[in-house]
Amino acid sequence: RTFSLRGAILWGTFIPALVYFLFVLGFLGLTNNVTPEALNSLENLPPSLLTIFGILGLITIWTSYFIIGANFREILVEDKKVRPWIASALVLILPLGLYFVGFRDFLPTLSFTGSVFLGLEGILLITIWRRAFPNHPWKWISPPLYLVFLAALIYALFDALVV
């Protein structure tokens, strides 16, 4: 069987969306009062189950950060010609630096770093695509996409600094 990029994109989008949807339905079915610290809402569950949910949550967050960080590092090294140790330091130290600067609330910090990294990654990927395919018939879409990712990046920075 051969690899299908279209199938990988389709299934790679559909399956996570379905899992997130089922998670939300399951969570809302377990409690009527959802707090910002989601596990605190599930106080009626046994501690062992809460521990398992907590571990699964940490694994989910770590894997998401790992994938975004690895992609960002590779973009810096391969496409922007940043030295590997500098790219690794940026990916590893930037979130810790934000924590020590004063971003102490976990969810807002996670949201901020995710927004910044994904905004930068989107902008860099569009730049890479434009260089790889300078005469592609869809090249007209890149300026609006730049604006979308730039607006998201500016919004994340504005939201973190002003609010």
Side-chain angles (χ1 to χ4, degrees), residues 103-143:
F103 286 88
R104 296 276 159 63
D105 290 332
F106 182 71
L107 289 178
T109 302
L110 185 66
S111 175
F112 174 74
T113 56
S115 299
V116 169
F117 274 127
L118 288 176
L120 288 172
E121 184 176 21
I123 290 168
L124 292 171
L125 284 174
I126 294 167
T127 304
I128 294 165
W129 181 78
R130 291 279 312 237
R131 286 187 185 159
F133 304 103
N135 298 319
H136 195 279
W138 281 80
K139 69 180 177 183
W140 62 268
I141 197 79
S142 19

